[in-house]
Amino acid sequence: MSMMHAAQVGAAPSTAHLMRWVIVATLPGIAAMTFYFGLGVISNVLLAGLFALGAEALIVALRQRPVRPALRDSSALLTGVLLGASLPPASPWWLIAVGVMAAVVVAKQLYGGLGHNPFNPAMVGYALLLVSLPTYMTLWSPPQALTAESLFNQTLWAQIIGSLPPATLDALSGATPLDAFKHKGEAVLASEFWASQPLPEGTLSAWRNVAFAWLIGGLVLIAKRIISWHIPIAMLGSMMLLATLFYASDPSHFASPLFHLLTGATLFGAFFIATDPVSAATSQRGKLIYGAGIGALVMIIRTFGGYPDAVAFAVLLMNLCVPLLDIYTVPRPSGHANTATHSAPKEPL
Amino acid sequence: MPAFEFPGGIYPPERKARSNQSKLQVAALPAQVTLPLKQHAGNAATPCVAMGDSVKVGSLIAQRDGMISAPLHASVSGTVTQISNTAITIESDGLDNWQRLPPLDWRAASPATLLERLDSSGLTGLGGAGFPTYIKAQVAEHHAIDTLVVNAAECEPYITADDLTLRSYPADVLEGAQLIARLCGVQTIVIGIEDNKPEAISALEHALPQAQHPAAIVLKVIETRYPSGGERQLIKKVLNRDVPSGGLPADVGTLCHNPGTLLAALHAVRDGKPLVERIVTLTGEAVSTPGNYWVRLGTSVASLLDGVGLMPGQLHQVIVGGPMMGTPLATLDTPVTKTTNCLIAATLAELPPAPIESPCIRCSACESVCPAQLLPQQLHWYARAENDSTLETLNLFDCIECGACSFVCPSFIPLVKDYRLAKQRIRMKQIETAKSDHAKHRFEFRQARLAREDAEKQARRQARLAQTQKPSTSTAGDHATPEVDLRSLRIAQTAAKAAVKKAEKVLARAAEQDPKQRFDDLETQLATAQENLKAAEARLASARENAIQKDTP
C-alpha cells in the first residue's frame, strides 16, 4: 500500500477541497450578476445553498448513511450554489426548493449519492423548472441600479411571499438577449433587429461582463488544476465552429459567434457545469468528445430548437452518452503498441 | 537530454536531503545475523550447513534450488546456531574472518566462467524484485541485447542508496557495467539518472573517460519525476522503446540493472566477494543520524536503527523500501535482506495514515498520472465489483503498482491495494483452473493408458489365435475374427500421430517461452497422446495381421 498520500503534501486536494474551490471560483460570476441584476442573485444562491444542505442532510439520514461527512464534502452546497446562480434573480423560494429537491434528492442521492449520479444534479433541477414553470424561469430583470427601493419593494419581497403581483411581474420581466434574438421573427433581419434596439439599455454589456466574470472563475479553476482544459475548450471550440459556419452561411439571420459566446450560460456552462467530473466522460479523448458534443447541441438547440439557451439540455443529453464514451475511448496502455517490434531510437545516443 | 517521455507521473516531495548529506558509512558489525533462505524471486535456497558449524564471512550456507533461486553465504564469521525452515542464524565471533573466491579478470575470463561466478556469489538484483543476476545474464542467449540500461533514476522519495553508491564508487559501477556488457554482448551502456543527484552525476562524468571498453557509455540525465525508475518507464525515457505488455526488457534488446547490482557484480568477479553486504539508506525523522550504510545481510532492523539513534518515542512506523511502493514492518525484529534498499523510521507527522476514504467522483486525476496509461478509476470500480473479466480487458496486469494514482486521489481511495487484491484473486482463480484442468488431463491419461493396454492385449491374443489356427487354415476362421475396417483404423492412427506432434510442439513452444516453468500438465497431455497413438498402432497391426491371414488361406 502506498504510504505517501495527498493529504501530507497539500499538492493534491481532497474532494471537499475541490468542491470548495469551485464554490470560490463562482464568486466573480455571482458578484457580477449581483451588480447587474440585483441582490436577488445573492439571495437565490444563499437560499439554494441552504436548501441543498438541508435536502442532503434529510435524504442521507433517510438512507441511513452518515450525515456529517456527506455535508462536509460540500458537494451538495456546490450543487445549490450552481443552481441558485442559474435561476432568474429573486425567484420565489418554493421554486428554488423544488429545483433543489430535484437536484439533490432525485438526481443525486436516489442514484446512490456522490459519485454515482449519471446526470448533472444542478442541471436536472434547472431543466425540471424550465420545463414545468417556464413563466417563472424567464423572469430575468433588466439591469438595474442597486437601490434599496428596488431591492425591497420588488425582488426580495416577492421572493419571500413566493408570488408576484401582475404589475410587478410586468415591471420585472425582461427578455435575455438570446431570448429576444430567438423570438425576433423569421422576417426580421439581424441588422434590423439590432437597429431597433430591442433590449433595455445596457443589457448586452451586462451579459457580456457577467460572462467575463465566469471566465475569470473558470480560468482560476484551470490554473488551480481543479478542472482540466479539455471539456471547456472542446465545448467552446465546437460552439464557435458551428456558430461561425451558421453566421458565414447567412449573417442576416444567424447571430454572430461572439454573441453566442458572450450571452446566456455559455461560459458559465463551459467552466462550471459541463466540467462536473461525476457526470462527465473520464478519459481525455472522451472529455474532448463530450465537450464538443455539448457545444454542438447548445448551438443546434439555440438555433433550431424551442429554447433560447440550451446548456442544461445539452449537458444532460451528453450525460447520457458518457457510459458509451467511457467504453469507446479507453486509451491504449503502454506496451500495447500496434507493432511489437521496437524501432531503433531516433535520437543519436 | 532525452527527448522521450513516458506518460503520467507525479512529483512527490523528495525528502532525500535527510540521508544524502553525509558520506557513506559502515554499520557496526552485528553480534548475530538471521539470513532468510528466500531473499530473491523463485524458490528458497536449501541449507548446506549444520547447527554448530563454524563459518567465515562468505562461506556457502545454502544452495540454490532450481532455476530461479540464489545461493546464500554467511555474512559474519562465527557459529551457526539455528537452522529453521525459513532462515539460518549465525552468532558472530567478532573476528570478521573472510573466505573469498579466487579473483577473476573479467576481461579474460570466459562468459561461462563469469556466469558461474555470478551464480555462485549469490548475486541478485539489489533493487526490489531480487531477480537472480545470472538468469538475467542468461537471457542474452535467447535474445539479441544491444543496450544495458543502468537504472540510477532512484525516483522514490527518501531513498539515496544508489546516489551514494555512485558518488562513492563511480569507476567501480562503470566497470561492473562493462563486465555485464561483455557477458551479454551489449554494445551500448546508457545510464539513466534523475537530475536531483548532481553529485552522483558529476562523479560519473569524472569517471567516464577512464571507463574501459567494450561498450560505449552514455550518461542521460532525466527530469526528476516519479516513477522514472520503473524499468519500463526508464527504458521509454532514455531509449524510446516500449517494452511490450507481459514482456521483458530483453524483448526490446535491453537489459536493466541498478548501480548497486553492478557494483556487487564487480566485487564478486574482481574481488571474489560473495553478496554478504549491501548499501542501505537509513532515514526518517525518528532517527538522529540518518545516512547510507554498508550493512551486513541478516542484521536486524532494530539493532541497525538503534545504531543510527532511533528515538522510540517518536517512531510511528518503519517502512522497508520507499514510501510509495514499500511495505510497513509489523516488527523490527526483521533482518536486512538482499532487496532492502531503504528503511524509513517515520514519525506520525511525517507519514500520517491516509484520511478516511470517500466516494470516487470520477475526477480522473488518477488517469492523468498513470505511467502505464491505464484507467485507474474504472479498475477501481470493477475491482470492487469483482468483475474479473473486465479487469483483464482493462489490462489490470499492466499495473506496475507505483501508487501514483493513490497519491493524487482526492477521495483517498487506496487504489493500489484494490488492484493488488484483485490481481491476487485472479491469480488464485487461474491456479484453481489449472489444477482442475490438470486433474482432468491426468484422468484422460489413465483412460488412454488402459485403452492402450487393452489394445495390446487384444493384439497379443489375436496373434496367439492366429498361431494356433495356422495349421488348419481351411476351417473357416471367419467368424472368429470379426470384420474390421482397416481404413478407419489407419485414419485413427494418422490422427493420433498428428495429435502427438501437436502436443510436442505446444510443449516445446511453452518451454522455449518460459524456460523456468514446470509443464506437468502439458507433459501429461503429450503422454496421453502418445498412449493413444500406441493403442491405435496396436489395433491397426492386429487388424492387418488378420487381414493377411484371411487373404492367404
Side-chain angles (χ1 to χ4, degrees):
Chain A
M1 193 195 312
S2 92
M3 248 63 57
M4 260 197 160
H5 48 77
Q8 74 204 46
V9 193
S14 69
T15 302
H17 213 88
L18 292 176
M19 300 286 171
R20 281 173 211 144
W21 260 107
V22 180
I23 294 173
V24 168
T26 59
L27 293 181
I30 291 172
M33 282 175 70
T34 310
F35 181 78
Y36 288 108
F37 302 115
L39 285 175
V41 172
I42 289 190
S43 63
N44 262 2
V45 170
L46 288 181
L47 266 185
L50 217 65
F51 285 155
L53 288 175
E56 176 98 343
L58 184 75
I59 184 76
V60 170
L62 282 175
R63 290 184 64 210
Q64 302 181 340
R65 302 287 160 98
V67 174
R68 202 175 278 264
L71 293 185
R72 203 170 276 170
D73 67 29
S74 299
S75 59
L77 185 63
L78 175 60
T79 301
V81 168
L82 292 178
L83 181 60
S86 36
L87 295 176
S91 295
W93 64 267
W94 52 266
L95 183 99
I96 298 175
V98 168
V100 165
M101 288 296 271
V104 173
V105 176
V106 180
K108 185 179 164 196
Q109 289 291 342
L110 291 191
Y111 278 97
L114 179 63
H116 300 283
N117 45 298
F119 299 104
N120 185 317
M123 288 304 101
V124 167
Y126 183 84
L128 175 96
L129 294 176
L130 189 59
V131 173
S132 17
L133 300 157
T135 26
Y136 286 94
M137 292 299 283
T138 47
L139 280 186
W140 279 88
S141 50
Q144 56 190 313
L146 274 176
T147 62
E149 193 252 354
S150 72
L151 175 64
F152 287 109
N153 286 358
Q154 302 176 337
T155 55
L156 284 194
W157 181 243
Q159 182 164 41
I160 292 160
I161 61 168
S163 67
L164 295 170
T168 328
L169 200 82
D170 280 349
L172 273 182
S173 62
T176 65
L178 274 174
D179 208 8
F181 191 83
K182 169 128 211 103
H183 296 111
K184 68 179 165 55
E186 277 294 305
V188 184
L189 294 179
S191 51
E192 294 168 4
F193 170 75
W194 291 118
S196 68
Q197 297 199 329
L199 295 162
E201 184 81 14
T203 305
L204 260 185
S205 72
W207 280 96
R208 188 191 61 212
N209 292 344
V210 166
F212 277 128
W214 287 121
L215 176 66
I216 290 169
L219 293 179
V220 167
L221 288 183
I222 289 183
K224 298 286 296 180
R225 291 174 180 262
I226 310 280
I227 59 173
S228 77
W229 56 268
H230 299 82
I231 293 175
I233 296 301
M235 171 176 162
L236 297 175
S238 80
M239 268 189 80
M240 287 306 94
L241 185 72
L242 272 184
T244 310
L245 282 180
F246 290 155
Y247 188 62
S249 72
D250 187 2
S252 59
H253 277 104
F254 294 109
S256 75
L258 212 59
F259 177 73
H260 280 293
L261 186 68
L262 295 177
T263 56
T266 309
L267 288 163
F268 171 66
F271 290 101
F272 290 89
I273 299 299
T275 51
D276 166 35
V278 177
S279 54
T282 54
S283 70
Q284 300 196 344
R285 218 149 38 98
K287 282 178 181 169
L288 290 175
I289 300 171
Y290 175 79
I294 292 176
L297 282 172
V298 167
M299 275 313 300
I300 290 166
I301 299 174
R302 274 187 186 180
T303 313
F304 308 107
Y307 288 90
D309 200 351
V311 171
F313 296 116
V315 168
L316 292 175
L317 284 171
M318 285 311 288
N319 285 164
L320 277 171
C321 306
V322 162
L324 210 62
L325 284 178
D326 279 352
I327 290 173
Y328 286 105
T329 59
V330 172
R332 192 176 68 216
S334 315
H336 286 265
N338 289 331
T339 48
T341 52
H342 78 271
S343 52
K346 290 182 190 79
E347 192 196 48
L349 288 169
Chain B
M1 285 296 283
F4 317 118
E5 282 299 331
F6 64 89
I10 53 171
Y11 304 89
E14 293 172 22
R15 300 193 183 164
K16 289 182 189 267
R18 202 163 161 70
S19 58
N20 68 8
Q21 301 300 310
S22 50
K23 279 206 153 46
L24 185 61
Q25 296 160 74
V26 178
L29 202 64
Q32 176 196 312
V33 289
T34 307
L35 294 152
L37 295 170
K38 183 167 159 48
Q39 307 193 15
H40 47 260
N43 297 340
T46 321
C48 60
V49 285
M51 295 255 279
D53 281 5
S54 69
V55 291
K56 291 180 174 178
V57 184
S59 303
L60 183 70
I61 55 170
Q63 281 162 334
R64 100 171 136 87
D65 172 29
M67 273 285 275
I68 306 197
S69 183
L72 191 60
H73 303 79
S75 58
V76 291
S77 59
T79 319
V80 176
T81 55
Q82 204 190 336
I83 300 173
S84 75
N85 288 334
T86 54
I88 296 176
T89 307
I90 301 170
E91 210 72 53
S92 170
D93 56 13
L95 299 175
D96 205 25
N97 284 328
W98 279 72
Q99 175 187 354
R100 290 172 195 254
L101 298 162
L104 286 174
D105 178 6
W106 61 268
R107 288 170 208 281
S110 73
T113 319
L114 290 177
L115 264 184
E116 205 278 323
R117 173 55 62 90
L118 294 183
D119 177 14
S120 61
S121 305
L123 210 62
T124 67
L126 299 187
F131 204 70
T133 307
Y134 84 100
I135 301 244
K136 242 189 194 180
Q138 268 184 352
V139 166
E141 292 169 10
H142 311 291
H143 295 81
I145 309 283
D146 56 29
T147 310
L148 168 65
V149 174
V150 181
N151 187 347
E154 198 162 52
C155 58
E156 274 240 27
Y158 286 95
I159 310 178
T160 54
D162 284 345
D163 185 9
L164 266 287
T165 304
L166 290 169
R167 274 150 68 172
S168 315
Y169 309 96
D172 284 357
V173 172
L174 293 182
E175 198 180 336
Q178 291 289 12
L179 186 167
I180 298 286
R182 174 164 182 271
L183 182 57
C184 303
V186 164
Q187 293 96 47
T188 316
I189 298 170
V190 181
I191 307 172
I193 184 165
E194 285 190 339
D195 56 12
N196 62 354
K197 302 172 189 64
E199 293 184 43
I201 293 167
S202 76
L204 281 173
E205 278 167 349
H206 277 101
L208 268 180
Q210 300 138 38
Q212 295 296 311
H213 316 298
I217 305 185
V218 183
L219 183 63
K220 285 224 174 187
V221 180
I222 59 175
E223 167 216 17
T224 299
R225 172 161 54 122
Y226 182 85
S228 62
E231 217 168 48
R232 288 155 185 274
Q233 284 67 41
L234 190 68
I235 290 170
K236 175 74 185 168
K237 188 107 184 175
V238 300
L239 296 176
N240 198 25
R241 297 181 188 176
D242 283 308
V243 179
S245 167
L248 295 169
D251 294 333
V252 290
T254 312
L255 210 59
C256 220
H257 277 295
N258 77 337
T261 314
L262 297 173
L263 182 65
L266 183 71
H267 285 164
V269 173
R270 188 187 65 187
D271 311 333
K273 200 176 118 185
L275 184 60
V276 295
E277 58 182 344
R278 64 160 296 148
I279 296 172
V280 181
T281 304
L282 303 177
T283 183
E285 300 280 336
V287 296
S288 58
T289 51
N292 284 275
Y293 294 82
W294 274 110
V295 175
R296 293 292 165 91
L297 302 180
T299 310
S300 91
V301 169
S303 70
L304 198 54
L305 290 178
D306 274 341
V308 293
L310 178 70
M311 297 166 273
Q314 310 251 328
L315 184 68
H316 170 58
Q317 61 175 349
V318 174
I319 292 164
V320 187
M324 301 296 299
M325 296 183 73
T327 41
L329 279 183
T331 162
L332 297 194
D333 189 22
T334 322
V336 167
T337 69
K338 293 176 182 179
T339 54
T340 311
N341 54 1
C342 181
L343 291 168
I344 307 170
T347 62
L348 184 61
E350 194 180 3
L351 291 177
I356 296 165
E357 176 187 340
S358 62
C360 167
I361 55 165
R362 300 169 34 110
C363 67
S364 52
C366 47
E367 192 185 322
S368 63
V369 300
C370 179
Q373 278 183 299
L374 300 173
L375 300 174
Q377 68 192 18
Q378 262 89 340
L379 289 174
H380 156 71
W381 294 325
Y382 292 118
R384 293 268 168 110
E386 306 204 352
N387 186 341
D388 293 341
S389 58
T390 312
L391 284 175
E392 284 180 81
T393 354
L394 290 174
N395 303 301
L396 172 68
F397 282 90
D398 282 339
C399 168
I400 60 167
E401 299 178 15
C402 68
C405 50
S406 310
F407 182 78
V408 297
C409 180
S411 301
F412 309 117
I413 300 168
L415 293 161
V416 175
K417 195 172 138 197
D418 287 0
Y419 307 151
R420 283 186 187 169
L421 284 174
K423 281 182 183 176
Q424 213 173 356
R425 191 176 58 234
I426 293 172
R427 281 202 197 101
M428 290 305 288
K429 252 192 222 166
Q430 283 168 346
I431 289 171
E432 285 304 310
T433 330
K435 261 190 199 159
S436 70
D437 276 358
H438 190 39
K440 195 178 98 197
H441 292 142
R442 274 206 312 266
F443 174 73
E444 282 169 3
F445 169 69
R446 185 170 172 274
Q447 297 292 97
R449 182 171 55 86
L450 292 177
R452 189 256 304 160
E453 282 169 5
D454 201 42
E456 283 174 357
K457 216 193 285 171
Q458 285 280 344
R460 278 198 300 273
R461 218 184 62 184
Q462 206 77 56
R464 264 202 318 275
L465 215 63
Q467 212 75 140
T468 52
Q469 280 176 352
K470 221 167 209 170
S472 56
T473 40
S474 53
T475 54
D478 298 31
H479 52 86
T481 52
E483 199 62 43
V484 206
D485 185 358
L486 262 183
R487 191 160 162 270
S488 70
L489 278 178
R490 261 203 309 276
I491 293 174
Q493 186 220 19
T494 317
K497 252 185 205 162
V500 170
K501 268 200 186 131
K502 193 182 161 204
E504 274 171 350
K505 211 186 269 176
V506 168
L507 178 61
R509 198 186 305 136
E512 191 187 333
Q513 270 175 1
D514 205 353
K516 61 232 180 207
Q517 275 273 320
R518 294 169 64 94
F519 298 102
D520 294 349
D521 191 41
L522 290 177
E523 276 165 22
T524 309
Q525 287 182 58
L526 174 60
T528 309
Q530 283 164 342
E531 292 287 336
N532 284 335
L533 177 60
K534 274 184 205 158
E537 275 169 351
R539 277 193 213 109
L540 183 65
S542 73
R544 274 200 180 127
E545 191 77 12
N546 252 331
I548 291 167
Q549 276 171 31
K550 261 193 281 172
D551 289 349
T552 56

